[in-house]
Amino acid sequence: MSGLALRQIEPEILDQLPETDPRAVASRRDLKRVNAIMAQARITASLLRANLIKPPRRILEIGAGDGTFMLKVAERLAPDWRDIELVLVDRLHLVSDTSVAAFGALGWKVRPVQADVFAYLDENADQSFDAVTANLFLHHFNDGELCRLFAGLSQIAPVFVATEPLRGSLPLLSAGMLWAIGANDVTRHDAAVSVRAGFAGRELSALWPQEPPFELQERRRGLFTQAFVARRSEAAAA
């Protein structure tokens, strides 16, 4: 894994473009296909089902983008999970009325929040959720920022589920092949950057706080995904 032994965090083009820029709009459309190829929604839904003892009442997604990823997750869970309040936090306001209506048709009530994730956690430290999710979001942060983020998340929910880029030779090679699905220059650049900033082994587990005690799961899922789950131990939850 030459050149990939350590995380390399570099700026992503999409994060620097105005939200209405045509290249940004096209790249966000590409990301929906990338998520499908990586089977991220299926993995997230499976991890939520496996780690929540009963259907949740409140879920928080951080780095939610336009909400369409979580809509795919909700479609998988809605037959058994209804009447759920879903809070979608992102630094941009991208959630459309159409998406809100689609969630409503599944029995999920959505509240989009435009905010920096750290500011949101600081301002809502007294809030509680049954689960927090993140998809292709954690790799944007360095280890110090992740420690701060995890410290806040560990206080507001008993379960945290994340699906991130797997840092490895095959994912990096595959990122370079995204031209084959018509991905634009922004997506092709950012995909490689994301892989180099991604995770392997138990890197995320090492950054999760030791208190309160959580049971941690971290491993590769499929060819391209590093999945991480933190579930508050039964002793701590009692």
Side-chain angles (χ1 to χ4, degrees), residues 78-123:
D80 302 308
W81 292 9
R82 298 185 66 84
D83 299 321
I84 292 174
E85 178 187 357
L86 175 65
V87 179
L88 301 175
V89 174
D90 196 89
R91 64 183 182 83
L92 299 177
H93 179 65
L94 299 172
V95 181
S96 68
D97 292 342
T98 300
S99 292
V100 172
F103 277 110
L106 297 174
W108 291 40
K109 180 181 179 182
V110 176
R111 183 162 65 88
V113 176
Q114 183 177 3
D116 169 83
V117 66
F118 294 104
Y120 178 84
L121 290 175
D122 288 344
E123 295 168 7

Side-chain angles (χ1 to χ4, degrees), residues 44-100:
T44 296
S46 174
L47 291 173
L48 285 170
R49 281 189 186 277
N51 288 280
L52 287 167
I53 297 174
K54 59 182 180 180
R57 309 293 349 135
R58 302 188 77 213
I59 297 176
L60 167 68
E61 184 187 15
I62 55 176
D66 62 7
T68 55
F69 170 76
M70 199 61 189
L71 180 58
K72 294 295 184 183
V73 175
E75 288 171 350
R76 292 176 175 271
L77 297 173
D80 302 308
W81 292 9
R82 298 185 66 84
D83 299 321
I84 292 174
E85 178 187 357
L86 175 65
V87 179
L88 301 175
V89 174
D90 196 89
R91 64 183 182 83
L92 299 177
H93 179 65
L94 299 172
V95 181
S96 68
D97 292 342
T98 300
S99 292
V100 172

